Amino acid sequence: MARLSSFLFVLSLLCVLPIYLCQQSYGGKLNPGYYAHSCPQAGEIVRSVVAQAVARETRMAASLMRLHFHDCFVQGCDGSLLLDSSGRIVSEKSSNPNSKSARGFEVVDQIKAQLEKQCPGTVSGADILTLAARDSSVLTGGPSWMVPLGRRDSRSASLSGSNNNIPAPNNTFQTILSKFNRQGLDVTDLVALSGSHTIGFSRCTSFRQRLYNQSGNGRPDMTLEQSFAANLRQRCPRSGGDQNLSVLDIVSAAKFDNSYFKNLIENMGLLNSDQVLFSSNDKSRDLVKKYAEDQEEFFEQFAESMIKMGNISPLTGSSGEIRKDCRKINS
């Protein structure tokens, strides 16, 4: 009974939290009311399944949000990440950024199965990812926003695009910014969207370099706060333990808030790609300070940047398809 009450309370948050209405246009043919007539239950179905998944495992919120990021940075927000390898399709799931780390596909499958029962052939996997990312934010205490909808699913995937377009944990600031710029995103989007690392975990293999060999000279990253580094070494040895997990936000790993930015100011960002936002560029440093001081400002910008990212090269109209199964193209 207690679990049911907790689930219903969390689900109710989706109805009472403020919704950020951004001034920018949604762009293209995307529209928050796209399924109002063809599948009015779509939003509720996605919310319900995501809420149940996050109730079972809080980490799932970060995992679902990450799927949306990794989908949009490759061929646009087209559900290409969801495809398994088959025939001419080489799955993006086997790329360096996704192999052994991308997760949450079973939750997407569950959402899709329920949607197909209610509205067959109507809601795309790409839109499922976008809605699930928003709901994951809300369920962990973060902002809500109106999600433009109407994306269709691709009939292809790009392993090379996944390997080349998604920022890596050890990339320099300029490399990361260049990858964002190629998607039409700027430094403000970069800093705000990186704030999603206020929830979730990262594997030892993603930050080991900072602990033992940051610059290829056998020495650690000296910008890493020393007591924090010592604790990380206990979880992440010099060799072995590649899949050992550490929280991305040492203060509140299960709560979507602005403590991530406060950690960066204290040199306690877990990934190199996090810490360089504070250490390597004046504009990004100023944004980190602003969001650390004003959580509302961060929430507003995060919502705006999520909508902007969700608008990257969507397939609309007669382009692409609505897959019956998110994992494979229609025959």
Side-chain angles (χ1 to χ4, degrees):
M1 185 66 182
R3 286 178 62 85
L4 178 59
S5 298
S6 176
F7 165 69
L8 292 174
F9 170 74
V10 169
L11 190 58
S12 71
L13 291 178
L14 294 166
C15 301
V16 301
L17 286 176
I19 297 177
Y20 292 91
L21 298 173
C22 304
Q23 296 301 311
Q24 68 182 53
S25 63
Y26 294 119
K29 299 179 181 178
L30 302 182
N31 186 326
Y34 186 83
Y35 298 113
H37 300 293
S38 60
C39 192
Q41 316 97 314
E44 176 58 32
I45 289 171
V46 176
R47 279 193 293 271
S48 179
V49 175
V50 172
Q52 292 176 58
V54 173
R56 290 192 299 268
E57 182 193 17
T58 306
R59 180 189 173 199
M60 185 55 66
S63 298
L64 291 171
M65 197 172 292
R66 186 169 182 258
L67 289 184
H68 181 45
F69 277 66
H70 284 207
D71 182 47
C72 289
F73 269 64
V74 184
Q75 299 187 165
C77 307
D78 63 355
S80 61
L81 174 58
L82 301 176
L83 289 169
D84 289 339
S85 292
S86 63
R88 62 182 177 82
I89 301 293
V90 179
S91 178
E92 294 167 17
K93 297 175 185 178
S94 59
S95 71
N96 291 330
N98 294 324
S99 177
K100 299 182 181 179
S101 64
R103 58 196 301 275
F105 297 107
E106 294 79 9
V107 177
V108 177
D109 291 340
Q110 186 179 354
I111 295 169
K112 181 63 172 176
Q114 292 197 23
L115 287 169
E116 285 299 301
K117 288 180 182 178
Q118 292 293 323
C119 325
T122 303
V123 182
S124 67
D127 275 348
I128 291 173
L129 289 177
T130 313
L131 286 165
R134 188 274 310 276
D135 294 342
S136 294
S137 168
V138 175
L139 288 162
T140 50
S144 184
W145 57 92
M146 297 292 288
V147 178
L149 298 167
R151 299 165 190 80
R152 290 167 64 83
D153 296 321
S154 70
R155 293 180 57 82
S156 65
S158 177
L159 180 63
S160 62
S162 186
N163 279 321
N164 295 324
N165 295 350
I166 298 171
N170 60 351
N171 279 163
T172 65
F173 174 84
Q174 192 54 53
T175 297
I176 297 168
L177 181 59
S178 294
K179 291 181 177 181
F180 269 70
N181 289 163
R182 286 202 295 268
Q183 305 299 334
L185 303 173
D186 59 24
V187 66
T188 302
D189 301 313
L190 164 58
V191 177
L193 293 173
S194 295
S196 64
H197 284 179
T198 185
I199 57 174
F201 295 78
S202 186
R203 298 177 300 154
C204 168
T205 187
S206 295
F207 58 87
R208 174 184 285 123
Q209 175 179 321
R210 297 191 72 200
L211 301 177
Y212 303 104
N213 191 27
Q214 173 69 349
S215 302
N217 57 6
R219 301 181 63 184
D221 181 352
M222 299 309 295
T223 68
L224 190 60
E225 200 276 330
Q226 292 306 298
S227 61
F228 180 50
N231 288 332
L232 290 175
R233 290 189 189 97
Q234 295 178 15
R235 293 282 303 152
C236 184
R238 189 180 293 272
S239 61
D242 285 2
Q243 306 305 312
N244 292 353
L245 297 174
S246 290
V247 294
L248 284 159
D249 177 351
I250 194 173
V251 175
S252 54
K255 180 177 174 57
F256 197 105
D257 56 22
N258 67 337
S259 60
Y260 163 85
F261 298 104
K262 297 175 182 178
N263 293 340
L264 298 186
I265 294 172
E266 299 298 324
N267 292 320
M268 296 173 68
L270 180 63
L271 305 177
N272 181 73
S273 55
D274 294 322
Q275 195 59 51
V276 294
L277 300 179
F278 186 73
S279 64
S280 298
N281 180 269
D282 290 340
K283 186 170 184 178
S284 65
R285 182 183 302 111
D286 289 343
L287 288 166
V288 168
K289 290 179 180 178
K290 179 166 71 171
Y291 299 151
E293 294 171 358
D294 190 339
Q295 179 167 284
E296 185 71 12
E297 181 76 19
F298 163 49
F299 278 15
E300 290 181 7
Q301 184 57 56
F302 183 79
E304 183 174 337
S305 293
M306 285 294 284
I307 291 175
K308 186 175 178 181
M309 183 181 74
N311 283 342
I312 298 174
S313 303
L315 298 174
T316 59
S318 60
S319 299
E321 64 181 14
I322 304 298
R323 294 186 209 131
K324 299 175 184 177
D325 179 341
C326 288
R327 293 175 179 262
K328 59 184 180 181
I329 61 176
N330 298 337
S331 56

